[in-house]
Amino acid sequence: MADAAAVSAREWRRPAAEGWARAAGAERVREFEGVRGAVQACSADSRNDLIDTDFGMIISIASGKGGTGKTTVATNLARSVGFDVQLLDCDVEEPNAHLFIHPSFEETEPVFIPVPKVDESQCTFCGKCAEICQFKAIAVVNETVLVFEELCHSCGGCRVVCPQGAIREGRRKLGDIQKGHHNAIECIYGRLRVGEAMSPPLIKKVRSYQNPEKLTIIDAPPGTSCPVIASMKEADFVVLVTEPTPFGLHDLKLAVGAVQALNIPCGLVVNRSDMGDNSVREYAQQKGLSILMEIPFNRKIAVAYSRGQMLVDVLPEWKDKFLGLYNQIELLAKH
Ligand code: SF4
Ligand code: SF4
């Protein structure tokens, strides 16, 4: 049952958040700070009580730059919320969330994409397939049709325009998906085949397992290109993990541009926050971006990460901070 702190927190949280939504820029940040302060004033139990477990929210954890602590935030957030949660590792080129969650894997599924297969005995070498291909993935050279499978985007255009019906659908392996559980965490990750460049279809496949009844946390790949967009699209909230360095700020600006283009609310987590300079905070202030959490540099955290241990297991007081992060995300995403 909710205690008095939780009830009073509920009373203020809706009007405070609605007001926040109407406000803008620095005023928005000031008001948000008030909401955050009130959330942090609640006890850990009260915060648990504030969580709407029936809200199938999608939170994407991204960063412009690699190595900023994205996976640390994604895995510790999943561990801290304390109810059924899906953790989708969409960093398919080097998935590593499972190294911290240690799920028992129950299923491995190969993922394929369609590619054209040409029957040259039916082909008249008219060149129509090569004309329509926007990716130069099929070429007609004298009396040979060459298919460059790695360039093919599986649009099926060549098959549709072939007047001889000489193209049928073949397939090419992209990678694998692994699914498993550890306590309340359902962990699903994609692993791209070595040498494969086309990660968005595999990311979409990982995301096809999103359960609308559960909270879904997505560990996105670094950067701001197509794989990141595929990992953030249709999320309810994006957490951008950054660090207070010139490189961190440069890549953060690109990431904020991408999130704004998708029109998704976002907030920042500053990792190694006691190092570097103040430029990330100044940028956040200018842009009206909320800094939801700061993680200082701590040798214990670094050692735990290198050993595949969770931050909240090594320093249990951080569980409460990640719960506070979840509460702030929930407020911002809903309002
Ligand atoms: S469109 Fe069909 S018939 Fe024409 S070159 Fe391509 S595969 Fe051959
Ligand atoms: S399926 Fe599309 S991308 Fe692939 S070869 Fe045919 S036209 Fe090109």
Side-chain angles (χ1 to χ4, degrees), residues 117-120 122-130 138-140 144-145 158-159 161-167:
K117 293 283 177 204
V118 179
D119 179 353
E120 289 194 353
Q122 293 182 44
C123 175
T124 57
F125 309 103
C126 65
K128 289 195 169 133
C129 51
I138 190 164
V140 181
T144 307
V145 183
C158 52
R159 200 150 59 93
V161 299
C162 177
Q164 303 302 317
I167 301 180

Side-chain angles (χ1 to χ4, degrees), residues 7-332:
V7 171
S8 61
R10 273 215 179 91
E11 281 165 3
W12 56 255
R13 106 175 148 152
R14 186 169 297 276
E18 283 169 358
W20 176 86
R22 285 194 298 275
E27 191 185 334
R28 201 172 75 166
V29 172
R30 273 199 301 279
E31 193 163 348
F32 174 75
E33 292 301 331
V35 173
R36 177 163 61 180
V39 168
Q40 287 172 344
C42 295
S43 67
D45 288 348
S46 307
R47 285 190 208 172
N48 268 328
D49 194 64
L50 283 170
I51 293 173
D52 285 338
T53 53
D54 60 344
F55 182 42
M57 185 164 56
I58 301 169
I59 304 170
S60 193
I61 315 290
S63 68
K65 179 177 169 298
T68 52
K70 217 170 21 66
T71 302
T72 298
V73 174
T75 52
N76 284 282
L77 185 60
R79 173 68 66 83
S80 301
V81 290
F83 55 84
D84 273 359
V85 55
Q86 280 190 312
L87 178 62
L88 306 186
D89 192 345
C90 289
D91 190 358
V92 296
E93 287 184 37
E94 43 181 337
N96 62 348
H98 62 286
L99 301 177
F100 299 91
I101 300 292
H102 304 293
S104 307
F105 285 111
E106 295 131 14
E107 200 183 332
T108 301
E109 180 190 340
V111 177
F112 299 89
I113 53 167
V115 287
K117 293 283 177 204
V118 179
D119 179 353
E120 289 194 353
S121 67
Q122 293 182 44
C123 175
T124 57
F125 309 103
C126 65
K128 289 195 169 133
C129 51
E131 272 170 38
I132 199 172
C133 183
Q134 300 296 298
F135 304 99
K136 309 288 183 214
I138 190 164
V140 181
V141 182
N142 296 326
E143 300 219 328
T144 307
V145 183
L146 300 171
V147 178
F148 304 101
E149 292 188 353
E150 281 72 22
L151 300 180
C152 175
H153 283 55
S154 309
C155 70
C158 52
R159 200 150 59 93
V160 171
V161 299
C162 177
Q164 303 302 317
I167 301 180
R168 64 178 175 80
E169 189 177 292
R171 64 181 194 170
R172 173 166 69 90
K173 189 175 177 186
L174 265 188
D176 295 295
I177 288 184
Q178 285 213 296
K179 301 177 208 165
H181 281 85
H182 181 86
N183 297 333
I185 303 174
E186 182 186 6
C187 185
I188 302 175
Y189 79 90
R191 183 188 297 276
L192 201 64
R193 186 177 58 82
V194 173
E196 177 60 59
M198 199 91 69
S199 61
L202 184 57
I203 292 171
K204 283 180 195 158
K205 185 70 183 171
V206 174
R207 291 198 59 183
S208 72
Y209 290 102
Q210 275 169 207
N211 182 343
E213 303 292 315
K214 285 186 181 179
L215 168 67
T216 301
I217 297 172
I218 296 173
D219 188 0
T224 50
S225 56
C226 301
V228 185
I229 303 300
S231 307
M232 297 196 299
K233 229 167 144 184
E234 289 162 20
D236 296 293
F237 195 87
V238 174
V239 175
L240 292 172
V241 186
T242 186
E243 57 186 24
T245 63
F247 283 133
L249 177 63
H250 176 269
D251 292 350
L252 173 65
K253 286 179 180 174
L254 297 175
V256 168
V259 177
Q260 286 178 341
L262 293 171
N263 202 21
I264 301 173
C266 71
L268 310 185
V269 169
V270 183
N271 194 12
R272 296 183 274 272
S273 59
D274 48 351
M275 303 177 87
D277 55 33
N278 216 28
S279 53
V280 162
R281 292 178 192 85
E282 286 165 6
Y283 172 73
Q285 182 82 23
Q286 278 167 20
K287 289 282 180 185
L289 295 168
S290 306
I291 296 178
L292 307 175
M293 188 165 82
E294 298 202 12
I295 307 173
F297 179 75
N298 180 325
R299 189 178 164 80
K300 276 190 183 168
I301 297 175
V303 170
Y305 184 86
S306 70
R307 290 179 177 160
Q309 293 172 320
M310 301 280 282
L311 165 56
V312 293
D313 291 340
V314 176
L315 298 169
E317 65 272 23
W318 276 87
K319 186 173 180 189
D320 198 25
K321 294 179 185 176
F322 277 98
L323 270 176
L325 172 65
Y326 177 76
N327 273 287
Q328 294 172 73
I329 294 170
E330 193 194 19
L331 280 169
L332 296 173

